[in-house]
Amino acid sequence: PPLSSGGNAYQRLSSFFPKISQSLVAVLTTLDQSFGWLQSNQQKSFQELTAKSTLPANLCLDIFKWAIPLVPFVLTNVPAEVIGILTRYLVHMDKSVQERATQTLSVMMQQRPDLRPTIATAAADFLLQIPDTRYEIVHSVLDKLNRLLKEWVALTAPASTV
């Protein structure tokens, strides 16, 4: 289960999980439209890129950062779209978003064996969309995909006998 099932609080909160899950997916997909495309190595600053946004950029980015780490703990059924969003954030221009996306994918890799192939596929699909001329981004995604795959291997390797 996404949250620890210990105690009365879990039982009281469990009725809210479906709505919280729907809301979290809606927040991520909505904010992705405004802030998800902000990849690293942009020529302009964050303020310049978001100046025409009708949303308060800093507040939305804070909500975005808050929502990302909740994914493995709140969503029992993580849509492939959300995993795709998280893989694109591996190279987001905001370092905090990058770190949170990397950590969230790592947590899902550890705690959700059923999502491991989806995570690896989403990262590889994203990688294939990046032009070779964007060497730094290609290298960064490859490095993070490599770490996730090594984590998967370590999690599935049989315990060594000493």
Side-chain angles (χ1 to χ4, degrees):
L3 293 175
S4 174
S5 56
N8 196 15
Y10 176 81
Q11 292 171 345
R12 290 193 313 259
L13 290 173
S14 65
S15 65
F16 294 105
F17 290 159
K19 290 289 184 191
I20 292 170
S21 295
Q22 290 172 351
S23 298
L24 182 59
V25 170
V27 165
L28 285 171
T29 55
T30 300
L31 292 177
D32 178 58
Q33 294 169 15
S34 297
F35 301 102
W37 56 272
L38 298 172
Q39 293 180 345
S40 60
N41 295 342
Q42 294 282 343
Q43 300 300 321
K44 296 181 180 181
S45 71
F46 175 77
Q47 287 74 21
E48 291 173 304
L49 292 169
T50 58
K52 294 181 181 177
S53 174
T54 58
L55 301 170
N58 289 332
L59 173 62
C60 289
L61 191 61
D62 288 343
I63 292 170
F64 202 40
K65 291 176 189 179
W66 170 81
I68 292 169
L70 292 176
V71 170
F73 303 105
V74 174
L75 299 182
T76 53
N77 297 315
V78 182
E81 176 185 15
V82 170
I83 294 173
I85 288 170
L86 292 172
T87 58
R88 289 195 312 274
Y89 298 161
L90 294 173
V91 290
H92 198 275
M93 75 182 304
D94 185 290
K95 296 294 183 197
S96 179
V97 171
Q98 280 186 32
E99 291 166 4
R100 289 168 194 237
T102 301
Q103 181 63 29
T104 297
L105 289 169
S106 178
V107 167
M108 290 192 317
M109 195 64 96
Q110 293 169 22
Q111 296 179 356
R112 299 288 304 276
D114 58 311
L115 294 178
R116 291 172 185 160
T118 307
I119 293 168
T121 301
D125 288 346
F126 173 57
L127 181 62
L128 293 173
Q129 295 173 22
I130 303 168
D132 291 343
T133 56
R134 305 292 305 268
Y135 172 79
E136 295 84 11
I137 294 176
V138 169
H139 184 269
S140 181
V141 173
L142 277 172
D143 182 54
K144 291 175 183 178
L145 176 58
N146 184 39
R147 283 190 243 155
L148 288 168
L149 291 173
K150 284 181 178 181
E151 193 170 324
W152 185 357
V153 169
L155 290 165
T156 57
S160 62
T161 54
V162 179

